[in-house]
Amino acid sequence: QVQLVESGGGAVQYGGSLKLSCAASGDTYGSNCMAWFRQAPGKEREGVATIGRDGSTTYADSVKGRFTISQDNIVNTVYLQMNSLKPEDTAMYYCAASRISCDNGATLPRTWYHYWGRGTQVTVSS
């Protein structure tokens, strides 16, 4: 089992920045792919960014050039640096881990993620 705890959300104005953190504990060796998802009210949960054990990353088109995913394997934490935030980025942001690899930039379906955090709210005002 892997436990994931997100932090760093909050309310910012258009153009602002936030850095989300996801602390993993438990059987972290089983976390071969880490990801950030988000879900806005009335919308489906969507993938934002992924990072594999090899450090390869993928991003949703809507956040490319603005968001950066990174990981610190020493402290078992994944980060999401969000810059140039827009009101449409407002959502609950969730950290997820999969036992399946997403190395070399592979993209996994949402249902292939085995572990989820409870989320952290990000609100961007115009």
Side-chain angles (χ1 to χ4, degrees):
Q1 290 290 324
V2 177
Q3 293 78 45
L4 303 172
V5 179
E6 303 96 334
S7 62
V12 296
Q13 291 189 329
Y14 179 94
S17 298
L18 283 173
K19 186 173 185 177
L20 306 183
S21 299
C22 171
S25 61
D27 184 17
T28 57
Y29 287 103
S31 303
N32 291 310
C33 181
M34 300 296 296
W36 287 97
F37 286 77
R38 67 185 181 186
Q39 187 168 19
K43 294 188 176 181
E44 289 191 358
R45 192 169 297 189
E46 63 175 357
V48 175
T50 69
I51 187 165
R53 282 196 174 275
D54 65 351
S56 60
T57 59
T58 67
Y59 295 94
D61 288 343
S62 58
V63 306
K64 280 181 182 176
R66 300 188 298 122
F67 291 10
T68 303
I69 188 171
S70 62
Q71 61 188 356
D72 185 334
N73 293 324
I74 295 176
V75 294
N76 293 323
T77 301
V78 175
Y79 304 98
L80 186 68
Q81 176 67 47
M82 305 186 296
N83 298 327
S84 303
L85 283 162
K86 306 174 181 180
E88 49 263 46
D89 295 319
T90 295
M92 184 71 79
Y93 283 71
Y94 297 91
C95 179
S98 177
R99 297 191 293 267
I100 300 169
S101 171
C102 61
D103 287 353
N104 300 310
T107 300
L108 306 181
R110 185 183 64 190
T111 54
W112 289 16
Y113 286 88
H114 303 92
Y115 309 105
W116 293 84
R118 294 189 174 185
T120 185
Q121 178 68 37
V122 172
T123 303
V124 185
S125 59
S126 57

